Amino acid sequence: MQRRDFELMLVRYAPDVVFDADAGLQALGVPGSARGREEMARVLIEILEVFDRLELVPTVAVDLGDSLIVLGASRLHGRGSGIEFETEVAQLLVIERGLVARERDFFSWDDALRAAALDPDALDLPR
């Protein structure tokens, strides 16, 4: 993503993928959703317009059979403000025919786990 090589990055996504961004990104002017690889690439470009440096570090993956939750951390650097901060990040990925059919991104592990009908308090996750 950082290199803007979206053609390579999006090969793992279904042609009609549905992407939903966290409300925190929407508050920064990034569109809340996209349908299809081209729209998703446009959303990713807008994210890179807000953050000139974006590092994602996965911590744990939870395999739910037809979906996957990836929990991790992100270090972000604001292009305009110069502010750098770290936040939890999570992705809820729905897999169909070996491709990501839906991606929902979160700035909270608990929100992602609840979206997958999991109780965050019942899981022993590293933080």
Side-chain angles (χ1 to χ4, degrees), residues 4-11:
R4 298 177 184 243
D5 189 354
F6 301 120
E7 185 177 337
L8 178 61
M9 181 191 153
L10 294 174
V11 73

Side-chain angles (χ1 to χ4, degrees), residues 9-34:
M9 181 191 153
L10 294 174
V11 73
R12 65 187 174 125
Y13 290 85
D16 60 346
V17 62
V18 175
F19 172 77
D20 293 306
D22 185 90
L25 282 176
Q26 295 176 46
L28 297 172
V30 174
S33 64

Side-chain angles (χ1 to χ4, degrees), residues 28-124:
L28 297 172
V30 174
S33 64
R35 178 173 292 278
R37 290 179 182 158
E38 285 184 34
E39 277 187 31
M40 189 170 175
R42 282 195 291 274
V43 170
L44 296 174
I45 288 168
E46 291 198 38
I47 291 170
L48 291 173
E49 293 299 316
V50 174
F51 301 107
D52 61 356
R53 198 168 58 247
L54 178 82
E55 298 172 29
L56 303 172
V57 180
T59 303
V60 65
V62 181
D63 185 348
L64 301 171
D66 62 348
S67 61
L68 177 71
I69 297 177
V70 180
L71 307 173
S74 181
R75 183 174 300 128
L76 306 162
H77 183 266
R79 180 179 300 278
S81 68
I83 295 173
E84 188 169 311
F85 64 97
E86 289 187 31
T87 184
E88 287 184 339
V89 290
Q91 293 180 317
L92 175 55
L93 307 168
V94 176
I95 311 298
E96 294 177 0
R97 295 181 300 281
L99 297 172
V100 177
R102 181 176 186 135
E103 177 178 326
R104 291 182 63 193
D105 290 353
F106 301 86
F107 283 144
S108 163
W109 288 11
D110 289 354
D111 289 349
L113 293 166
R114 285 189 194 99
L118 297 173
D119 179 1
D121 297 326
L123 301 171
D124 184 26

